[in-house]
Amino acid sequence: MNVFRILGDLSHLLAMILLLGKIWRSKCCSGISGKSQILFALVFTTRYLDLFTNFISVYNTVMKVVFLLCAYVTVYMIYGKFRKTFDSENDTFRLEFLLVPVIGLSFLENYSFTPLEILWTFSIYLESVAILPQLFMISKTGEAETITTHYLFFLGLYRALYLANWIRRYQTENFYDQIAVVSGVVQTIFYCDFFYLYVTKVGRDEQVLLRNKHHEELQTRTRTHMMYIERSTVRGHRTECLLERYTRNIPE
């Protein structure tokens, strides 16, 4: 196991912890695609069915258990504990558009026509497209919280590091996993698409949103001051002067 594999696993774990931390601290899961999280939970479930039958190392077993726990806790928070904050109106990607072709491909292209091997292949193919509902949600709303973009960044970094890991393994071990490599390249391309969306659309819209929010807050504060002056000062020239001074502070 080389350094790229370890760094990739840590980047993946960090992404999941960031997402869980965001939901737990804010008590809110708006902006997060529950459908993507369901797909990731399905990925880990079908990939790690050998958890109790095939021991590789303590590191491997611990990481499998942690990933499974994080995935299912995230799904529980979105659809259970904080379901009232879930933005279901914008999480509308049709999962059957992903599941049907992935299931068909895993039966057609695999290394061995056995249940565990087919399910492992299914998990590899599914992981390559599992992020699409989240990207679709961002492109639909034009908004993404900073912590959500960090989550996506570290997921993308995880895939990039795994590509480096496969290159390194091919150089040192002459090992090449065509299914994993091709799926990993496809997944990395989708994350590149996210960065494009963030720079060209999401980032700009987020800045506009902040400016508009600041504008509205300033107007609200100024109008509150005006109402206070109208109630607490006597009629006459003093009131007119104060109103004129505060009126100048209202942005057009």
Side-chain angles (χ1 to χ4, degrees):
M1 186 165 56
N2 59 64
V3 66
F4 296 113
R5 166 72 182 275
I6 296 175
L7 290 176
D9 288 341
L10 292 178
S11 180
H12 195 181
L13 181 60
L14 179 59
M16 301 179 76
I17 291 174
L18 282 173
L19 187 64
L20 281 172
K22 180 266 181 188
I23 297 174
W24 184 257
R25 287 194 305 271
S26 64
K27 311 298 181 185
C28 176
C29 53
S30 63
I32 300 172
S33 170
K35 291 185 176 182
S36 272
Q37 298 310 312
I38 288 176
L39 293 181
F40 281 124
L42 184 57
V43 165
F44 296 135
T45 301
T46 53
R47 183 174 303 173
Y48 300 150
L49 289 174
D50 64 345
L51 185 62
F52 301 104
T53 60
N54 186 21
F55 178 80
I56 298 175
S57 67
V58 173
Y59 171 84
N60 183 273
T61 300
V62 169
M63 294 301 283
K64 286 180 178 179
V65 172
V66 170
F67 285 153
L68 281 167
L69 287 175
C70 287
Y72 278 99
V73 169
T74 302
V75 171
Y76 165 71
M77 286 186 175
I78 294 174
Y79 290 101
K81 191 173 182 64
F82 303 120
R83 64 183 179 277
K84 293 182 180 179
T85 66
F86 173 50
D87 188 10
S88 58
E89 293 181 358
N90 289 312
D91 192 16
T92 56
F93 193 95
R94 300 281 296 275
L95 292 186
E96 59 267 30
F97 291 162
L98 301 178
L99 290 173
V100 172
V102 164
I103 291 172
L105 189 60
S106 59
F107 275 94
L108 294 174
E109 292 291 335
N110 53 68
Y111 293 128
S112 175
F113 203 77
T114 62
L116 283 180
E117 188 65 30
I118 291 173
L119 288 172
W120 178 86
T121 306
F122 168 81
S123 75
I124 297 296
Y125 292 148
L126 183 61
E127 186 182 17
S128 68
V129 296
I131 198 61
L132 286 182
Q134 180 68 66
L135 297 180
F136 178 78
M137 190 175 187
I138 292 176
S139 65
K140 184 177 180 180
T141 62
E143 298 175 8
E145 295 183 19
T146 302
I147 195 67
T148 306
T149 61
H150 289 335
Y151 162 72
L152 292 172
F153 170 79
F154 282 107
L155 276 184
L157 180 61
Y158 142 66
R159 295 315 306 179
L161 288 168
Y162 256 59
L163 288 178
N165 163 60
W166 291 322
I167 293 173
R168 181 62 177 170
R169 291 192 65 183
Y170 180 75
Q171 292 175 339
T172 59
E173 306 172 26
N174 199 28
F175 175 84
Y176 176 71
D177 187 332
Q178 181 177 347
I179 291 176
V181 170
V182 173
S183 299
V185 170
V186 171
Q187 188 176 359
T188 304
I189 291 173
F190 286 139
Y191 285 108
C192 291
D193 184 59
F194 153 72
F195 288 117
Y196 171 79
L197 286 172
Y198 180 69
V199 172
T200 62
K201 181 177 181 180
V202 177
R204 293 178 184 177
D205 287 348
E206 189 174 74
Q207 291 173 1
V208 171
L209 180 62
L210 290 174
R211 285 200 298 269
N212 289 342
K213 183 178 180 180
H214 176 70
H215 179 86
E216 292 171 359
E217 289 176 349
L218 182 57
Q219 284 186 321
T220 301
R221 289 197 302 269
T222 306
R223 287 170 182 154
T224 301
H225 289 320
M226 290 176 64
M227 291 174 63
Y228 175 77
I229 292 169
E230 289 176 337
R231 289 196 302 264
S232 61
T233 59
V234 296
R235 296 177 181 178
H237 181 68
R238 182 184 176 191
T239 303
E240 293 175 357
C241 292
L242 288 171
L243 287 173
E244 181 180 358
R245 184 176 67 189
Y246 276 100
T247 303
R248 291 196 191 102
N249 292 326
I250 301 179
E252 296 181 354

